[in-house]
């Protein structure tokens, strides 16, 4: 009750979905997985991404998870990289060395990108969300049917996503690091 996360994130996620015209969602770190807390889809297209808020998201196979791993502490990264990683699609990175390189790329850019790694027909981007100590606590993501994931749309989404993640971090009392 003292920290109504869903109420705080709802207008940010809804605004992100409306601005991008695509499904947007917020997820928070829960152990080695991400727990979705809210999603919004403006339903402006005939083809949409299906999203289930009850489904826990793997860190290695989703853009949200990669955004979290890129800014997580070494203990969590080591735990994920040493696990037996499940391939959800042929594009899921399960090799620890390749995943490690991908995590570093995300850390450098501040934004993750996933192309058909969790779902064969979905491309997504995500940006991390931080708490008051600067620790990553989750991510915001925009998911697009791959058929609409052209370069221009992805650039537009990236800009909106970073602004929304900064807003979510501030609204939750967090501090967004200089990336």
């Amino acid at each position: 009750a003292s920290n109504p996360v869903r109420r705080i994130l709802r207008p940010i996620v809804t605004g992100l979905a409306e601005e991008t015209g695509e499904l947007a969602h917020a997820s928070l770190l829960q152990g080695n997985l991400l727990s979705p807390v809210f999603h919004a889809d403006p339903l402006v297209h005939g083809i949409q991404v299906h999203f289930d808020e009850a489904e826990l998201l793997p860190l290695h196979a989703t853009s949200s998870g990669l955004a979290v791993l890129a800014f997580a502490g070494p203990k969590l990264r080591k735990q994920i990289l040493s696990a037996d990683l499940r391939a959800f699609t042929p594009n899921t990175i399960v090799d620890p060395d390749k995943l490690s390189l991908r995590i570093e790329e995300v850390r450098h850019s501040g934004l993750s990108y996933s192309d058909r790694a969790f779902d064969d027909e979905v491309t997504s981007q995500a940006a991390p969300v931080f708490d008051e100590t600067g620790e990553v606590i989750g991510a915001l993501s925009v998911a697009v049917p791959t058929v609409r994931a052209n370069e221009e749309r992805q650039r537009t989404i990236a800009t909106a996503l970073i602004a929304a993640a900064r807003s979510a971090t501030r609204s939750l009392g967090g501090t967004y690091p200089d990336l």
Side-chain angles (χ1 to χ4, degrees), residues 104-155:
E104 285 308 311
E105 289 171 2
V106 173
R107 186 169 179 84
H108 179 72
S109 72
L111 190 72
S112 68
Y113 176 80
S114 179
D115 183 26
R116 298 169 289 169
F118 185 61
D119 181 309
D120 280 318
E121 299 174 353
V122 177
T123 298
S124 64
Q125 292 182 77
V129 175
F130 300 89
D131 69 9
E132 68 280 354
T133 67
E135 247 184 81
V136 68
I137 57 169
L140 292 185
S141 180
V142 175
V144 180
T146 301
V147 298
R148 279 200 306 275
N150 63 52
E151 205 172 303
E152 182 181 337
R153 178 173 288 280
Q154 294 301 86
R155 276 194 305 272

Side-chain angles (χ1 to χ4, degrees), residues 3-178:
N3 191 7
V5 173
R6 186 172 279 120
R7 184 177 59 78
I8 290 168
L9 293 176
R10 183 178 293 125
I12 296 167
V13 172
T14 301
L16 180 60
E18 289 171 356
E19 182 178 351
T20 62
E22 301 293 350
L23 182 135
H25 66 89
S27 301
L28 296 178
L29 192 57
Q30 183 177 323
N32 293 344
L33 298 166
L34 283 171
S35 178
V37 293
F38 184 75
H39 82 282
D41 190 336
L43 303 174
V44 296
H45 302 284
I47 299 173
Q48 289 130 6
V49 172
H50 170 75
F51 189 80
D52 181 359
E53 281 187 17
E55 183 176 23
L56 295 175
L57 304 173
L59 298 180
H60 74 287
T62 62
S63 62
S64 296
L66 292 172
V68 168
L69 281 174
F71 294 93
K75 181 180 176 184
L76 179 60
R77 277 197 307 273
K78 182 179 179 184
Q79 198 171 25
I80 297 301
L81 290 169
S82 64
D84 186 21
L85 301 174
R86 175 181 167 201
F88 292 88
T89 74
N91 289 353
T92 306
I93 301 172
V94 294
D95 177 86
D97 293 332
K98 290 179 182 175
L99 184 57
S100 213
L101 288 172
R102 183 72 186 109
I103 290 167
E104 285 308 311
E105 289 171 2
V106 173
R107 186 169 179 84
H108 179 72
S109 72
L111 190 72
S112 68
Y113 176 80
S114 179
D115 183 26
R116 298 169 289 169
F118 185 61
D119 181 309
D120 280 318
E121 299 174 353
V122 177
T123 298
S124 64
Q125 292 182 77
V129 175
F130 300 89
D131 69 9
E132 68 280 354
T133 67
E135 247 184 81
V136 68
I137 57 169
L140 292 185
S141 180
V142 175
V144 180
T146 301
V147 298
R148 279 200 306 275
N150 63 52
E151 205 172 303
E152 182 181 337
R153 178 173 288 280
Q154 294 301 86
R155 276 194 305 272
T156 300
I157 289 169
T159 301
L161 190 53
I162 291 169
R166 288 179 180 277
S167 176
T169 295
R170 278 191 310 275
S171 295
L172 291 170
T175 304
Y176 210 90
D178 292 328

